[in-house]
Every structure is written in C-alpha cells, then in structure tokens.
Amino acid sequence: MRSSHRPLSLLLGLLVLVLVLLQTAQLSQRQALEALQSRAESDLNRYALSVQQKLDRYKDLPRLLATHSNFMEALAQPENPDVIQHTNLYLEQVTRILGASDSYLMDAQGVTQAASNWNRENSFVGLNFGFRPYFRDAMAGKAGHYFALGTTSRQRGYYFSWPVRIGERIAGAIVVKIDLNEVEQDWSDPIIDIAVTDEDGVIVITTRPEWKFHALGGLSSQDLQRIQQSQRYLGQPLEPLELVRHQTLEGGRAERVTLRRTGDQASHPVAQRSEDFLLLTKPVPDTGLNVAVFARTTPVDRAVLQAVVLAGFVCIALLLLVLFIQARWRIVRQRREFEVRELQALQAARDVLETRVEERTADLTRTNARLLEEMEQHQSTQNELVQTAKLAVLGQLAAGINHELNQPLTAIRNYADNAQAFLRLERFDRVGDNLKEIAGLTDRMARIIHPLKEFARKSSGRPMPVSLQAVKDGAMSIMYGRLGQQGVEIVWPAGLSRIHVLGDTLRLEQVLVNLLANAMQAMESCVHKRIEVGLEQQSERIRLSLHDTGPGIEAEDPQQVFEPFYTTKQSGQGLGLGLSISHRIIENLGGHLTAANHPEGGAVFTLELLLAQPAEAGIDGDSQ
C-alpha cells in the first residue's frame, strides 16, 4: 500500500520544485531589475547633467557677442573689406579661446558675412543659412538653439543664435556652433548604451554607431518633410529602431524593450537577432534634447539563472535527503519484521525440538546443542560486522569532513576573536571586515565539500585564468593561524601576481591547503620547521614545488601517497583521501602533481600547471 504512494510523492515533490523555481525566478528577476534600474537612473542623471553643463557653457555666448560693435559695423558696412576682415579675426580668436567649433555672423537675409573659419576651404562666408530654424528664431528677436548636421562640414553640431540689433532694427544674427562628439566619446560602460534624441525622437548622439540617425518612434510623413526641408540631417533616411517587445515596468519610471539588431550584426548567422534593454529617458531642460539610457538585461538573466540553479540544487538535495530517510526507515522496518519472523521461527523450532527431545539420543542432543552454539556465534559475528561497518563509515565521514573543513574553521575562529577584540575597541569598521571574511569562509566551507566527489568523477568545470597570488592569498588566509601556532616558516617566491595559470581558484586553494597541512603534520616532531616554495617556468607550463624539512616519504614508491586511503597518520587523523583528491583535481585541470624525497632531506611535492599568459622573467624569493 505504501509503495503505491511513492509515485504520488514524487509527483508532489516535482510540483513543489517547479513552484519554488518559479517563485525564485520571479523574485530574483524583480530584485535584479530594481538594481539595474537604480544603476541606470544614476547613469542617466549623470549623463544628462554632463550634456546640460556642456551646452550651458555656450548658450549665453551669442547674446554677449551680439553687443560687440564689430558685428554692428560689419552688418552696417558689408562692402568694407577692412571691417569684415577685422570681424573675421575677432570671431576666429573668440572661437579658439572658448573651444567652440565655429562662430559666424549672418545678415538679415541669412547670408554669412563673417566667420571664424574665413580662411578655410569650407568657409561659411557667403553661404546662406536662412533656412535654419535658429536663424528664424534670432530674426524673431529671441534666442535660438538647434541640433543639426552642418551643410558644409557635414558634422554634428549644436547651434546657439541671438539677434544683432542696430538701433531698434534687427540687422542679423550671431551664431555659435559647438561639437558634442566628446560627450559621446567619454562614455564607456560595457552594459549601458546612451542615446541623445532631438524633439522628434531622432537619435543624434549614441554609443551605438548603428543607431545613429534612427528614430526611437515612427515619424509621420509631415515630420519627415519638415525635417528634410530644414536640411537638418542632410538626407539621412531616419528609419525607426525596430521594436519587438515593449513593457512598462511597475512604477512607470522605466520600460523593458526588445530591439531587433540593425546593420551587419543582424545578418550574422551566429549573432542574436534581438537585444533586451531597460529603457529610461530624461529631457535636458531648454535644449530640445532628450537623453535615453539602454541598460542591457544580461545581468538580470544571469542573476535569475544563478538563483534558479542554486534553488534547484537546494531542493534536489532536500528531496534526496527525504528519500534517504525514507529508505532508512524502510530498511529498519524490514529488519525488525525479519527479526520477528526469525524469532517466531526459532520459537516454533524449539517447541518441536522440545517435544522430540525424549525420543532423541544423547548424540542428537549434543548435535543440537552444537548447532545452537554455532547459530549464536554466527549471530554475534554478524552483529559485530554490521557494527564495524557502521563505525568505519562514520569514521571516514568524520575524518574526511574534519580533514577538509578544519582549516576554514580555524580561520573563522581567528576572525571571530579579532572581531571581539575590535568590538571592545569600538573599531566597527574592522569588525565588519572580519564578519565579511567569516561569511566568505562559511561559503567556502560549503563549497569545499563538493571536491570530495572528484575522486569518483572528473570535474565538468572549464579551466579559467587564475592568479597564483590569489591562490596563495586564499590558502594562507586559512593556514595562517596554524602556521603561526606551530612555528612553521614558509618562504614564497616573488612575482606570483604576474603569473596566471589555467585552473580553478577554489580547487587550487584546496590543493595548496592539503599540501601545506600534510607538510605541517610531517614536521610535527621536527625542531626546525620550514616550507620552501619554489617557482620555475618551463615553456608553456609553470612548476610550483613545496619542500618541507620533515622526515620525507616512507613509501618505496613516493607516488603511492596519491592512492586512495593510503596514509601513515595515526588512527583518527585522516582517511588518506586528501592527496588522492588533490591529484585528481590537478589532472582534471590538465596538470600534474608528483611527490619525491629531496636530496637534502624532507619531501617535495611539485605542481605542474598550464600557463594562461607568459610570465615575466626574473623570479626572486621572499619570506612570510
């Protein structure tokens, strides 16, 4: 009857697992989106402020220049070459000092009378820009501002204008053009793209070149005709960005959009056809420009995946634990039922034997007694074997866990003692640092258990570039306290920070901790305790050797120390799995771990790993 419930239990467990994963995905997605939105809002405000500050530096310049007598004289005497030349030189000087792109003076018909680029091949002098809106605004007696491509330079620019009056009459306009390319070039965030749009939604400045002169939304035929008549973008097609999906997030401050890729990337057979972004926009006051931030949602997807995988592992572990407990209960129940049946059978047999005792001879009686004695011995031997097996498994588990976790526990105790001391001194910042280290070590303890399975299977992890300095720092953070307590001197080579190998930081730290711990145990009875770490580069590999001052390796073949359960330690000090697991870890990373006796005494363990990048020549030693 109970077995019939097993499929239902499994189905219920799978349903709970799916619900937990869905809830985890939703919660992690919400949190990751909020974090990304907060970062994007900060970048949006900063970028909008930089654009505004750039424009504010020049917006009042035409109004100031319009009061200069040179421009009034040039508009009043356009045929006087001396006056015009003097105005050209003045504009050239002002433009150079203020860092503007160009500045020029236009008469009432829009013809340029003087310009800062008067002596260049593409000079504005004599050209008519009366079709530009900034000129019409100035002739209407108000300040003009406008973003457009220059008809002569074909470069992007922002134009400020102001009317030049002679008496009560508006005789022309003074215009200052500035280049906003440097605002675009200053942005280098790898996951956030910036786009500045005009009042029609046309992207004029962006960190994505393929978006330039595309519209965030569709433009009507009237808008396109108006823009073409002003020659604002000199015949650019102004095609809209293709919006695949659009979703306004909670609060309405941001939108989640999916854009189809444009340009060469869209036609690439391997490239993704679309990109997901978090979109936030903000206007730049009094400029007609809007700043839009496109934050890629890749970190959000990565955070959701990590959270779901972690939750899945936890749920599966709990499910396996429940199944294990159920199996144990079933075995215990079956064993009890078997013992009851055996006792009942024995009782029945004894009753039969008792009824026939008088009919049996003395020989049969002795035989029966001998059989009973053998059965008791068999039962006793069986119980002893079961108990011994239980103790062996418990001893292996306890010793293995102690072997792998003793160093982090020691480091945690040291950090805890330091935190108490800093707490008494009211050094709360240092208390926080120690607590962070404790949190990191507890996470490390959880991950240390995983490599115990390396003996049974190869790692599926892909080797990555790892700094030997980072591996050394991680191992020393665990072993530092024990090294100091036992008076062990350890000498490290210099230049570890310049050397990167292909591996895994956590697993290489575990290997190094195992080797250091074995060396310390081997030197327990030595007066002088020293571990010297050597470093040698050979072509595309690096060799890291640990030489201790202990008695050396007793085995005839030093490589025998890497066999599972081989150990010379006293009972209770270890299973003999540490070096075996370390050997398997290094092999999985494409390296070698060997053992030998040093000619000067002591044991030497050598790690040979693949270089991730060429190491700098010159390796000296230093001590710690």
Side-chain angles (χ1 to χ4, degrees):
M1 189 68 178
R2 292 190 181 95
S3 61
S4 63
H5 293 165
R6 190 175 305 167
L8 182 59
S9 300
L10 291 176
L11 181 60
L12 182 60
L14 290 176
L15 180 60
V16 172
L17 175 61
V18 171
L19 291 176
V20 169
L21 294 183
L22 288 176
Q23 290 294 326
T24 301
Q26 292 177 358
L27 179 61
S28 60
Q29 184 184 53
R30 186 182 305 113
Q31 293 175 344
L33 280 174
E34 289 176 355
L36 182 61
Q37 181 175 337
S38 177
R39 175 182 175 183
E41 286 178 342
S42 176
D43 290 337
L44 176 63
N45 293 331
R46 179 161 54 90
Y47 193 82
L49 181 61
S50 66
V51 173
Q52 185 174 8
Q53 290 176 342
K54 173 75 173 180
L55 297 178
D56 285 348
R57 289 172 52 191
Y58 299 95
K59 70 177 183 178
D60 294 326
L61 182 59
R63 184 174 184 177
L64 178 62
L65 292 176
T67 62
H68 201 281
S69 59
N70 282 355
F71 303 124
M72 300 178 188
E73 293 178 3
L75 293 176
Q77 306 177 47
E79 303 300 329
N80 190 329
D82 294 333
V83 172
I84 295 299
Q85 182 62 17
H86 183 69
T87 305
N88 286 332
L89 294 175
Y90 178 73
L91 286 173
E92 181 181 9
Q93 182 181 15
V94 168
T95 302
R96 183 179 64 254
I97 293 175
L98 296 178
S101 176
D102 295 294
S103 57
Y104 48 98
L105 177 66
M106 305 166 64
D107 63 16
Q109 285 72 41
V111 178
T112 303
Q113 298 296 327
S116 58
N117 59 358
W118 61 275
N119 58 348
R120 299 178 188 173
E121 183 178 352
N122 58 348
S123 172
F124 296 165
V125 176
L127 300 180
N128 191 316
F129 300 117
F131 56 87
R132 291 292 198 185
Y134 61 78
F135 171 74
R136 294 195 295 269
D137 289 340
M139 295 307 295
K142 58 184 180 180
H145 54 81
Y146 191 65
F147 186 96
L149 291 177
T151 57
T152 302
S153 64
R154 306 190 71 83
Q155 299 296 319
R156 294 171 296 174
Y158 198 90
Y159 300 83
F160 290 104
S161 65
W162 188 262
V164 178
R165 300 177 185 271
I166 300 178
E168 297 297 327
R169 179 176 62 91
I170 299 178
I174 183 71
V175 182
V176 174
K177 176 185 177 183
I178 62 173
D179 185 3
L180 294 179
N181 286 337
E182 64 183 36
V183 179
E184 181 180 73
Q185 297 168 357
D186 290 341
W187 193 260
S188 60
D189 195 303
I191 69 168
I192 291 183
D193 288 307
I194 294 295
V196 178
T197 65
D198 63 11
E199 60 271 14
D200 293 313
V202 177
I203 299 175
V204 295
I205 299 174
T206 178
T207 54
R208 293 284 290 269
E210 67 271 18
W211 291 356
K212 195 177 298 180
F213 303 121
H214 282 70
L216 282 182
L219 295 173
S220 65
S221 57
Q222 292 82 358
D223 291 334
L224 287 173
Q225 184 178 4
R226 172 176 50 82
I227 295 173
Q228 296 298 339
Q229 288 177 351
S230 66
Q231 300 185 35
R232 190 173 195 176
Y233 298 117
L234 303 181
Q236 294 289 341
L238 306 181
E239 297 177 351
L241 292 178
E242 189 171 354
L243 190 65
V244 179
R245 187 185 67 173
H246 177 277
Q247 176 188 3
T248 302
L249 299 184
E250 183 178 355
R253 295 181 300 168
E255 299 172 318
R256 189 167 185 178
V257 299
T258 301
L259 297 179
R260 191 175 301 278
R261 286 180 178 266
T262 59
D264 295 338
Q265 292 181 336
S267 60
H268 196 280
V270 182
Q272 294 182 349
R273 299 293 181 177
S274 59
E275 294 179 284
D276 290 333
F277 296 96
L278 196 65
L279 173 61
L280 292 89
T281 59
K282 182 177 183 179
V284 181
D286 301 325
T287 63
L289 300 179
N290 295 279
V291 177
V293 166
F294 291 82
R296 292 181 179 86
T297 59
T298 305
V300 176
D301 299 335
R302 188 182 302 116
V304 172
L305 178 61
Q306 292 175 349
V308 170
V309 170
L310 179 60
F313 279 137
V314 172
C315 291
I316 292 173
L318 292 176
L319 180 60
L320 292 177
L321 178 61
V322 171
L323 294 176
F324 173 77
I325 294 175
Q326 289 179 344
R328 292 292 299 171
W329 284 348
R330 186 170 60 255
I331 292 173
V332 171
R333 185 178 63 255
Q334 292 175 351
R335 182 176 299 172
R336 289 177 179 174
E337 294 175 353
F338 175 77
E339 290 176 351
V340 170
R341 290 194 298 268
E342 285 292 314
L343 289 175
Q344 292 174 351
L346 289 175
Q347 184 67 35
R350 188 179 65 178
D351 293 342
V352 172
L353 288 174
E354 287 179 351
T355 59
R356 299 176 59 185
V357 149
E358 296 177 357
E359 301 175 1
R360 295 293 182 179
T361 63
D363 185 48
L364 291 176
T365 303
R366 289 192 297 271
T367 301
N368 184 53
R370 186 168 59 254
L371 288 174
L372 289 174
E373 182 180 358
E374 290 178 356
M375 289 176 64
E376 291 176 356
Q377 291 178 353
H378 180 269
Q379 185 67 31
S380 175
T381 302
Q382 182 179 6
N383 292 336
E384 290 178 0
L385 288 174
V386 172
Q387 186 65 23
T388 301
K390 290 181 181 179
L391 293 175
V393 172
L394 291 175
Q396 290 172 4
L397 290 175
I401 292 173
N402 178 71
H403 180 83
E404 299 299 334
L405 301 182
N406 188 50
Q407 295 89 347
L409 285 172
T410 302
I412 288 175
R413 178 58 185 269
N414 292 335
Y415 282 123
D417 292 342
N418 290 341
Q420 289 179 348
F422 286 126
L423 190 59
R424 288 192 296 269
L425 295 175
E426 297 185 357
R427 296 286 301 279
F428 301 115
D429 54 339
R430 300 301 300 274
V431 172
D433 293 340
N434 281 269
L435 291 179
K436 289 180 181 177
E437 294 293 339
I438 290 175
L441 286 171
T442 55
D443 182 63
R444 186 189 303 276
M445 289 168 62
R447 289 181 288 167
I448 280 176
I449 298 175
H450 176 73
L452 293 177
K453 296 185 292 185
E454 292 294 338
F455 180 73
R457 64 179 179 85
K458 291 186 178 181
S459 170
S460 60
R462 182 181 179 184
M464 300 293 290
V466 173
S467 169
L468 285 185
Q469 183 67 37
V471 175
K472 173 227 175 182
D473 294 342
M476 289 301 295
S477 69
I478 297 175
M479 298 296 298
Y480 183 78
R482 292 184 60 189
L483 292 169
Q485 290 175 0
Q486 297 188 19
V488 177
E489 178 189 6
I490 180 168
V491 179
W492 291 93
L496 292 179
S497 61
R498 302 192 304 268
I499 299 176
H500 291 72
V501 298
L502 289 177
D504 180 90
T505 302
L506 177 61
R507 296 181 181 178
L508 289 178
E509 287 178 4
Q510 180 186 353
V511 171
L512 197 55
V513 167
N514 285 342
L515 296 179
L516 292 174
N518 285 336
M520 290 172 56
Q521 291 177 351
M523 296 187 296
E524 285 182 349
S525 59
C526 298
V527 177
H528 179 59
K529 302 176 182 179
R530 175 186 173 92
I531 302 175
E532 184 172 354
V533 183
L535 187 64
E536 179 183 358
Q537 181 180 351
Q538 295 183 345
S539 183
E540 297 180 353
R541 291 178 175 265
I542 202 74
R543 298 185 67 187
L544 193 71
S545 60
L546 284 79
H547 174 210
D548 61 56
T549 57
I553 301 174
E554 298 179 0
E556 295 182 1
D557 181 8
Q559 308 310 312
Q560 188 178 357
V561 299
F562 299 120
E563 295 179 0
F565 303 108
Y566 176 85
T567 180
T568 59
K569 301 173 184 177
Q570 297 180 0
S571 177
Q573 291 188 351
L575 283 173
L577 285 176
L579 290 177
S580 177
I581 292 174
S582 299
H583 190 268
R584 178 61 59 90
I585 290 174
I586 297 302
E587 283 190 341
N588 289 342
L589 296 176
H592 302 286
L593 175 60
T594 57
N597 286 317
H598 199 275
E600 299 178 1
V604 57
F605 287 83
T606 303
L607 280 168
E608 184 173 329
L609 298 167
L610 291 172
L611 275 171
Q613 61 182 22
E616 297 183 11
I619 300 175
D620 302 323
D622 62 353
S623 63
Q624 177 173 331

